[in-house]
Structure formats: structure tokens, C-alpha cells
Amino acid sequence: SQTIHQWPATLVQPVGSPLSLECTVEGTSNPNLYWYRQAAGRGLQLLFYSIGIGQISSEVPQNLSASRPQDRQFILSSKKLLLSDSGFYLCAWSGTPVNEKLFFGSGTQLSVL
Amino acid sequence: GNSVTQMEGPVTLSEEAFLTINCTYTATGYPSLFWYVQYPGEGLQLLLKATKADDKGSNKGFEATYRKETTSFHLEKGSVQVSDSAVYFCALSERGYQKVTFGTGTKLQVIP
């Protein structure tokens, strides 16, 4: 069966520090991969998605970047965190086509202080 | 572009009360519609879905009907339980697109 792993679960970082969140999927190949952010009172915002290795689509211009170095690995990064980067980050995957179901990881609560 | 509008929360109900959470959408084509649920401290999980007009999705006592004429997909449950307390997200995806668009979520609190 397919599983999705996301870590760390909680992260507290100072303003200006770098960020690296990792997400891996097991039990499937060539998944679509997604990074969402859930900020307090603002719902779920799509940040990046990828339909293949090295293929990244950015939905919101900002301080963050994403990479997909392997088929089932998706990384969210920042060189310098801002206070506004605080939030709950969710990784998700889907098969193709996407209009079936998204499978979410358990999320990372990021606090930038 | 596509968008999903949900009723604002939080919604507070007593146990065994009837639940309705409104959801309307805007899409250029014929989307699939979803309700996802997020329990405290967890990621989202699919609750139910409908892929074409007049389809009814159902799961765990929750139901939603795809209404193309009103572009709506309202979530209902006849008798809520304390364990239903969570955040509920309405969402859509269109065939041929690799994205799912979510609403802002509605927090439901059920009190004994």
C-alpha cells in the first residue's frame, strides 16, 4: 500500500534561517506531488506541484522554492525565512489523473520567531 | 480561474443536531468535487467525492450532492457526534489539470 512521510512534525526557526522540509512517498511510481500551506484563518493554499522529476510549478511567488530530485521525493526550501512563512505545511500526492483523490502527509507545524 | 467558496465558521452544534456546510464553486469545465476532513493536528483525508452532475457522495453518515445548476456541493449530516469535530474543506479539480483547489475550510465543533 502507498504511504507518505513528511518530516519534521514541528519546527521552530529564527527569522533569516534556512528551511528544508522533506516529503517521500512509498508504494507508487510517478506520483503528482504537492506542497500546501495552511496559515491561521486562511485555508489551504497550493504552493508548488510537480508532475515529474525536476518539473516544478509554482503557484504563489514568494520566499520559498521546491525541488524533486527523485521520483518520490519532494523538498520545500527557503534560504531565509520570514515571519510570514509560519504555518502548517502539508505534502500530498496523487495518481494521474488528479481528479480522483489526494493523499496527505501529517504536516509540519513551522513557527518562525 | 477555478475557485471554491465555503461558509465561514466556526460552526458549533450540539450532539445529534443536523449539519449543513455550504459550498459553491466556479469552474470553466466539468470538475470533480470533494469534501476533505482534517482532525486536530493531522493532515487532510478524503471524506467523499462526486464526479458528475447529480452524483451523491456519501461516507460516515455525511452526504453531498453535485448540483450543476446551482454550482453547489453542500455537506450534510443528519445527526452529528462529538467525534465529527474537525475542519471540513470543499475542493474541486478539473479533468486535464493537475491541481486541486480548496476552499478556506469550515471548523465544526460538536458539544455534548
Side-chain angles (χ1 to χ4, degrees), chain B residues 43-63:
Chain B
L44 282 70
Q45 55 185 278
L46 180 67
L47 180 60
L48 53 84
K49 70 176 184 181
T51 58
K52 61 182 188 296
D54 300 325
D55 269 2
K56 178 185 284 188
S58 61
N59 186 24
K60 299 181 181 179
F62 290 89
E63 293 183 340

Side-chain angles (χ1 to χ4, degrees), chain A residues 80-108:
Chain A
K80 288 186 178 182
L81 283 169
L82 305 172
L83 287 174
S84 57
D85 291 324
S86 294
F88 191 53
Y89 288 80
L90 287 160
C91 181
W93 75 272
S94 75
T96 305
V98 75
N99 58 316
E100 289 298 318
K101 182 177 180 178
L102 276 177
F103 298 86
F104 283 86
S106 53
T108 296

Side-chain angles (χ1 to χ4, degrees), chain A residues 16 34 47 53 60 62 106 109:
Chain A
Y34 305 84
L47 303 176
I53 295 175
V60 182
Q62 56 199 330
S106 53
Q109 183 64 54

Side-chain angles (χ1 to χ4, degrees), chain A residues 72-84:
Chain A
R72 291 168 289 176
Q73 184 184 28
F74 204 26
I75 298 172
L76 182 70
S77 303
S78 174
K79 292 182 179 178
K80 288 186 178 182
L81 283 169
L82 305 172
L83 287 174
S84 57

Side-chain angles (χ1 to χ4, degrees), chain B residues 6-62:
Chain B
Q6 285 182 239
M7 63 186 289
E8 295 212 9
V11 174
T12 302
L13 295 174
S14 298
E15 207 165 19
E16 299 184 2
F18 184 85
L19 168 71
T20 299
I21 300 178
N22 290 337
C23 171
T24 57
Y25 67 90
T26 302
T28 54
Y30 299 95
S32 293
L33 301 174
F34 309 84
W35 278 100
Y36 282 81
V37 60
Q38 182 182 33
Y39 297 103
E42 299 182 8
L44 282 70
Q45 55 185 278
L46 180 67
L47 180 60
L48 53 84
K49 70 176 184 181
T51 58
K52 61 182 188 296
D54 300 325
D55 269 2
K56 178 185 284 188
S58 61
N59 186 24
K60 299 181 181 179
F62 290 89

Side-chain angles (χ1 to χ4, degrees), chain B residues 77-88:
Chain B
K77 186 174 185 181
S79 176
V80 294
Q81 306 300 313
V82 173
S83 57
D84 294 326
S85 298
V87 181
Y88 293 81

